[in-house]
Amino acid sequence: MTANKNKAAIVGGGVIGGGWAARFLLNGWDVSIYDPDPQAERKVGEVLENARRSLPALSDVTVPEEGRLSFASSIREAVEGADWVQESVPERLDIKHATFAAIQTHCAPDALIGSSTSGFKPSELQQGAARPEQIFVAHPFNPVYLLPVIELVGVEATLLRARDVLEAIGMKPLLVRKEIDAHIADRFLEAVWREALWLVKDGIATTQEIDDVIRYGFGMRWAQMGLFETYRIAGGEAGMRHFIAQFGPCLSWPWTKLMDVPELTDELTDMIATQSDEQSGMHTIRELERIRDDNLVAMMRALKGRNWGAGALLNEYDARVAPPLPTGIDKPVDTLRRVIPVDWLDYNGHMNESRYGQVFSDAGDVVMAMVGADRDYIAGGLSYFTVANEIGYLSETRLGDVIHVRTQVLEAKGKKLRLYHEMIRSTDNELLATCNQLLIHVSLETRKSCEPEGEVLARITALGEAQAKLPRPASLRD
């Protein structure tokens, strides 16, 4: 990678290319897009609009500053100086070969060139390439800016470099052990798709009924445990061996038609399209995308609270991108910056009052960490407890608002830590809420108040003395 700011080139700005652009851009990369479609800028802009309201909402820390977006008039212009080039052109091998030839003519020899192909093997993509080892499969899932898994297939040395890049932008790269048509996930999905087509064709279920079986049933299990871990639980105390012994014989029964596929006649196509229109036609595509994104954010944030599956990945990402703790103590401290997620809204369409308490609690945690009352200190049996919060709700806070918290220490002496927080909308600097917070230092062993110890006592004293010189906040003056 270059020593300067990273650059990603996106060749093909459709749904997947736009998703790639959003994932890189919102992780601080500069992004250049090439797509001859005259509508490309509009389409990518709509994808980015959805991404900006959803991807940052997964984080509980300040996310990287957005990179610079540009649209190139040629592949050459797009890929010059790029560290990563992502090809997302139509699934035709001749088009991909021509695209790779143009990319390799103008990109750096050490640039990573990933293909979003869902079906072609890397050996097919590399045919006739100037530097075959440079090209690899990087197959994502829609929306790329939210769903983290990426299937990587190609030369191991190249994939290891690609893995490092993808992990740094919050993704879950899977190195496929052997190249195979359609990789792993799409082969799995193809089996389900074939069976679904038969169920519709034979009049057994409609498109909505099939979707309902998935989203109200096993889909929720798969979302957080996958297939084998789900079946391990189904085996009870005896585990997977018992599950296989109990359900293995049914595999020889003639239940499925997975090795056969119905002919996609005009009649079957019309049947599926009509049922799909009845199921979802009341929503535009953009509305469906936003519904999908909001649901994914809520589900993934729920997993984040349990530190499980995709949620554990998000926690690792937050730890990686979280800014360093503030160091200046002679002025109010910027303690928190974040985006308001969908699961924080109430029935009035704005942030629920309980979430203000969480924002101010998180801001207080930053001050605790500044003085050394961090995880290690807490593990040693000492911490701060909040004993009072006086919150003033001044203006509505809505979905997608970028907010920051400015914190002033009113008292930091002995057992007491009194903080004053202001929550501000970053786009227009409107003051949304205030909080007067009182924390008391406690022993986690006795659950009673006690004096801070060691370095924490020294730091809290210095912080209190420095901030005591500041003017008292206007809302607290008599």
Side-chain angles (χ1 to χ4, degrees):
M1 297 296 101
T2 60
N4 298 319
K5 191 167 188 178
N6 290 322
K7 174 186 175 181
I10 310 300
V11 180
V15 172
I16 297 299
W20 274 110
R23 173 67 79 161
F24 278 111
L25 190 72
L26 297 183
N27 275 280
W29 285 52
D30 289 341
V31 173
S32 181
I33 300 173
Y34 170 71
D35 191 316
D37 180 358
Q39 296 295 315
E41 191 164 348
R42 175 188 64 80
K43 293 176 182 177
V44 171
E46 291 176 351
V47 173
L48 281 172
E49 183 180 357
N50 285 341
R52 289 186 178 111
R53 73 191 290 273
S54 55
L55 178 60
L58 290 172
S59 289
D60 296 309
V61 301
T62 302
V63 297
E65 183 178 351
E66 186 172 315
R68 183 176 64 88
L69 175 66
S70 61
F71 287 84
S73 59
S74 66
I75 289 179
R76 176 179 181 172
E77 181 184 345
V79 305
E80 283 183 340
D83 303 287
W84 183 294
V85 181
Q86 188 67 26
E87 169 272 309
S88 299
V89 303
E91 287 285 90
R92 279 181 46 188
L93 203 52
D94 59 332
I95 295 177
K96 291 185 181 293
H97 284 162
T99 301
F100 288 132
I103 290 171
Q104 289 195 313
T105 298
H106 302 292
C107 77
D110 63 344
L112 293 163
I113 304 177
S115 172
S116 299
T117 180
S118 58
F120 291 122
K121 299 189 290 289
S123 59
E124 295 172 313
L125 300 174
Q126 295 164 353
Q127 291 171 3
R131 298 179 294 275
E133 71 286 349
Q134 191 177 17
I135 299 170
F136 60 97
V137 170
H139 175 234
F141 291 85
N142 188 34
V144 184
Y145 52 80
L146 285 182
L147 294 182
V149 73
I150 297 288
E151 295 178 306
L152 298 180
V153 200
V155 176
E156 183 179 13
T158 304
L159 299 189
L160 292 177
R161 293 175 56 216
R163 180 185 64 185
D164 292 342
V165 172
L166 295 170
E167 287 179 344
I169 61 174
M171 307 195 83
K172 182 69 174 178
L174 172 65
L175 274 62
V176 180
R177 298 173 185 275
K178 298 179 181 179
E179 69 168 35
I180 185 174
D181 291 322
H183 325 310
I184 296 174
D186 277 354
R187 291 178 70 90
F188 187 76
L189 291 174
E190 178 70 14
V192 178
W193 173 242
R194 287 172 184 249
E195 193 67 17
L197 291 178
W198 278 115
L199 291 171
V200 173
K201 181 180 184 298
D202 292 344
I204 295 168
T206 65
T207 58
Q208 179 164 343
E209 289 164 350
I210 291 170
D211 285 350
D212 286 347
V213 166
I214 296 171
R215 60 188 169 197
Y216 296 120
F218 59 84
M220 288 193 287
R221 299 188 305 191
W222 284 3
Q224 47 97 32
M225 281 195 168
L227 180 66
F228 284 97
E229 197 164 48
T230 294
Y231 282 166
R232 178 181 179 84
I233 292 174
E237 293 182 357
M240 182 61 83
R241 290 186 182 278
H242 176 67
F243 173 81
I244 293 174
Q246 186 174 9
F247 294 100
C250 73
L251 296 177
S252 63
W253 301 345
W255 280 1
T256 76
K257 299 178 179 178
L258 295 182
M259 301 308 294
D260 192 10
V261 62
E263 182 183 356
L264 285 172
T265 61
D266 290 343
E267 181 182 5
L268 179 55
T269 300
D270 288 343
M271 183 188 305
I272 294 171
T274 299
Q275 291 180 7
S276 179
D277 288 343
E278 292 171 353
Q279 176 183 351
S280 308
M282 72 290 298
H283 299 293
T284 68
I285 291 300
R286 297 302 172 224
E287 288 172 340
L288 287 172
E289 288 176 343
R290 286 191 290 273
I291 291 168
R292 173 204 64 193
D293 291 358
D294 288 348
N295 289 338
L296 283 172
V297 168
M299 291 172 65
M300 292 166 75
R301 285 188 58 80
L303 291 171
K304 191 177 185 182
R306 306 304 305 160
N307 199 38
W308 191 264
L313 184 70
L314 290 171
N315 286 329
E316 293 171 4
Y317 174 78
D318 276 3
R320 186 183 303 118
V321 303
L325 291 171
T327 55
I329 63 173
D330 57 349
K331 60 182 179 180
V333 179
D334 286 332
T335 47
L336 191 70
R337 184 179 296 272
R338 61 158 307 149
V339 174
I340 304 305
V342 66
D343 60 324
W344 282 21
L345 304 187
D346 64 13
Y347 45 78
N348 291 317
H350 57 206
M351 189 165 88
N352 182 271
E353 62 265 27
S354 65
R355 297 300 186 175
Y356 289 81
Q358 180 169 339
V359 167
F360 296 129
S361 176
D362 291 346
D365 285 347
V366 173
V367 176
M368 285 175 54
M370 285 177 61
V371 300
D374 52 17
R375 290 184 179 181
D376 291 340
Y377 188 74
I378 294 169
L382 298 172
S383 186
Y384 280 91
F385 285 3
T386 298
V387 296
N389 268 339
E390 182 183 345
I391 298 177
Y393 305 96
L394 306 180
S395 188
E396 287 188 292
T397 306
R398 298 180 180 275
L399 173 65
D401 278 349
V402 181
I403 59 98
H404 65 274
V405 177
R406 186 175 298 130
T407 300
Q408 183 172 336
V409 179
L410 301 180
E411 183 179 4
K413 189 175 182 180
K415 303 175 185 179
K416 287 186 179 181
L417 175 59
R418 189 182 297 276
L419 307 175
Y420 174 76
H421 308 286
E422 292 183 336
M423 190 180 93
I424 302 162
R425 186 165 47 229
S426 300
T427 52
D428 58 7
N429 286 320
E430 181 175 0
L431 182 61
L432 302 174
T434 62
C435 178
N436 192 351
Q437 181 184 24
L438 174 62
L439 302 95
I440 299 294
H441 191 270
V442 299
S443 163
L444 295 177
E445 181 179 355
T446 65
R447 317 302 284 189
K448 296 182 181 298
S449 63
C450 66
E451 294 287 327
E453 296 182 358
E455 188 67 21
V456 171
L457 177 59
R459 290 183 183 179
I460 199 70
T461 301
L463 180 62
E465 292 175 351
Q467 300 242 323
K469 302 173 184 178
L470 300 174
R472 192 169 177 81
S475 64
L476 298 180
R477 297 172 193 164
D478 294 332

